[in-house]
Amino acid sequence: MRLSTIRSLYSGGGPWASVYLDATVANPTGTPQEARHELDLRWREAREWLGTHGADEATLQAIDEVVEEAPAHPGPGELAVFASGGSVAFSRSLPVAPRRPQLAAWSALPHAADLLRSIAALATSDARDAPNALTSLAELGDTGEEIRWVRADVDRTGGSVRSSDGAVVTVRGEDEFVTKVSTKQRDQMWSVPKYQHAAEENWERNSTDMARVIGAAVERTAADVVVLAGDVRARRLVLERLPKVLAGRVVEVEHETPVRPHPESRVRSRREPSVHDPVLDAATRAAVGAAAEERRSDALDRFYNGLSSGDSVRGVEQVCAAARDLRIDTLLISHDPSAAQVWVNPLSPTLLGPSKTDTGTDSPAWEPADDALVGAAALAGAEGIVVDSDAELVDGVGAILRYRL
């Protein structure tokens, strides 16, 4: 996760309400009304707890509005909300079951470590199979998803391009002569070679347009994965026209989306971006998951190799020291919450450590180590990954460094 996307949570203000509402519905075949009722009951309980621990009414009312607008549907889900001073600074609804019981906290700094854990869970096979997993990844867009993606569904007349920032572009190229000519027609039409040549030119022109739109989407989103589906010949033509630097990011899908009639098309059928295709959704989730796992594996290799060279550190004391120097390139936190706590300066969250003297203030806050380090890493523009429980990850935290002292 790109932690810079939650950097605004640590730019001042506080205290903070951090809420992780269990949006999982007990009855998977229940109605949306039942799902809404369950979510409201859980928020009522969390709201009461926050109120008794000092949360102001304005902040609670701001969260009320987010909960009321949050999607409620059967299946696993979690709603994460961070609010302070009467306004909500960040909220996300994710199709994953909470990693631990419902959490509400009123503290000097946001408790955002579990947000990383939930987003990381989207890369698991179970979460990718959730009906709304792709939508959630798209909604995250530039706000911290693991992998950015572009998906193109192509045919001989153009196609559609959808990306993780929510943008959709439809290319409607020239469709004259692109229909295939049967043997019977070929025998009857003296000018078939001319038509075939015109079709070839139109296919190539349309493929060039599609490659241009795909390339622009990749450049705009800094996409890690390009999923390419549709007509086999159209895919080949588009691939030939994509920038060579994208070759390693393309994942081809042997699938053509069903078409529907289009009144402006001579061939009376066009792929439309509004057509829901579960096969392409599943292929996109799989490609995103595979890319996320590869990135995570590379980071783990860097981390463990760096322990011997001094390019990585582990344990609260060493990781906090790196955070104070803004040396963290990638923060690693354990899948299980850390039991360690640290002192942190609420007005300057990069000043933290096991001793009050590390904070540069006479009024430090005592916070969970993983939550405090997420804030420090976010302010440093670092990335964050979640790793399985590992005895070598002392105190449940580690870091890949930008440079050694």
Side-chain angles (χ1 to χ4, degrees):
M1 177 179 176
R2 298 169 176 91
L3 297 180
S4 59
T5 58
I6 58 172
R7 184 171 184 164
S8 61
L9 296 180
Y10 302 91
S11 59
W16 287 84
S18 302
V19 180
Y20 294 88
L21 281 181
D22 183 357
T24 302
V25 179
N27 180 10
T29 60
T31 65
Q33 291 76 16
E34 291 174 327
R36 165 60 55 191
H37 180 65
E38 289 189 38
L39 183 62
D40 290 342
L41 287 177
R42 289 166 183 156
W43 166 231
R44 186 183 308 169
E45 179 184 354
R47 195 185 198 281
E48 291 178 359
W49 187 95
L50 287 167
T52 59
H53 286 77
D56 58 281
E57 185 60 24
T59 296
L60 296 175
Q61 289 180 2
I63 302 176
D64 285 341
E65 296 178 6
V66 172
V67 175
E68 288 174 5
E69 296 175 0
H73 46 72
E78 181 179 56
L79 175 64
V81 187
F82 304 93
S84 176
S87 63
V88 172
F90 189 97
S91 67
R92 284 295 176 271
S93 183
L94 301 170
V96 293
R99 292 291 169 175
R100 53 175 166 169
Q102 183 165 298
L103 171 68
W106 182 249
S107 54
L109 293 172
H111 288 189
D114 276 352
L115 177 64
L116 267 69
R117 296 183 176 102
S118 294
I119 291 177
L122 284 174
T124 67
S125 58
D126 290 343
R128 289 201 311 268
D129 292 338
N132 58 330
L134 183 62
T135 301
S136 295
L137 284 169
E139 287 175 350
L140 285 171
D142 287 332
T143 56
E145 87 287 9
E146 279 275 318
I147 298 296
R148 293 170 180 159
W149 51 268
V150 167
R151 184 176 80 192
D153 181 23
V154 302
D155 60 23
R156 290 165 289 164
T157 64
S160 64
V161 179
R162 184 184 297 270
S163 51
S164 56
D165 61 358
V168 180
V169 178
T170 301
V171 175
R172 292 174 177 162
E174 178 59 60
D175 59 19
E176 190 171 14
F177 308 125
V178 298
T179 52
K180 295 179 180 178
V181 179
S182 68
T183 302
K184 182 178 180 180
Q185 289 174 310
R186 188 177 296 115
D187 292 339
Q188 294 174 344
M189 297 174 63
W190 64 271
S191 57
V192 161
K194 180 179 71 174
Y195 294 152
Q196 296 287 13
H197 179 69
E200 294 282 350
E201 289 186 342
N202 287 339
W203 289 356
E204 292 183 5
R205 186 180 302 111
N206 296 339
S207 298
T208 299
D209 290 342
M210 279 299 295
R212 175 181 52 78
V213 171
I214 294 169
V218 171
E219 183 176 358
R220 185 186 69 253
T221 62
D224 305 282
V225 176
V226 178
V227 178
L228 184 62
D231 178 88
V232 61
R233 184 170 184 185
R235 292 202 315 266
R236 180 177 61 79
L237 291 173
V238 170
L239 275 173
E240 290 174 353
R241 288 158 177 76
L242 283 175
K244 300 302 181 185
V245 70
L246 299 184
R249 305 185 215 176
V250 176
V251 176
E252 284 197 75
V253 179
E254 298 289 339
H255 175 71
E256 294 188 44
T257 300
V259 296
R260 68 180 185 182
H262 191 280
E264 298 177 3
S265 173
R266 295 182 181 87
V267 296
R268 306 295 295 174
S269 62
R270 285 282 183 90
R271 280 177 174 76
E272 298 297 325
S274 58
V275 174
H276 173 68
D277 191 325
V279 174
L280 286 189
D281 284 352
T284 304
R285 292 194 296 266
V288 166
E293 181 57 33
E294 182 179 0
R295 175 181 291 180
R296 177 178 171 277
S297 178
D298 289 344
L300 287 175
D301 287 343
R302 288 176 58 206
F303 171 70
Y304 288 116
N305 291 335
L307 289 175
S308 58
S309 65
D311 294 310
S312 301
V313 293
R314 57 186 170 184
V316 163
E317 186 172 355
Q318 293 188 56
V319 178
C320 284
R324 292 194 297 272
D325 295 330
L326 304 181
R327 290 188 294 132
I328 296 180
D329 174 81
T330 303
L331 176 70
L332 289 77
I333 64 172
S334 173
H335 173 276
D336 297 319
S338 173
Q341 292 197 257
V342 297
W343 294 104
V344 57
N345 185 335
L347 300 180
S348 185
T350 58
L351 298 178
L352 74 172
S355 171
K356 286 185 178 181
T357 59
D358 296 321
T359 66
T361 180
D362 294 330
S363 305
W366 185 239
E367 297 282 358
D370 46 8
D371 289 310
L373 282 165
V374 166
L379 290 171
E383 295 202 1
I385 65 171
V386 178
V387 302
D388 295 332
S389 298
D390 188 337
E392 292 192 37
L393 198 65
V394 179
D395 300 324
V397 293
I400 302 171
L401 306 179
R402 290 183 172 137
Y403 60 89
R404 287 177 268 171
L405 291 179

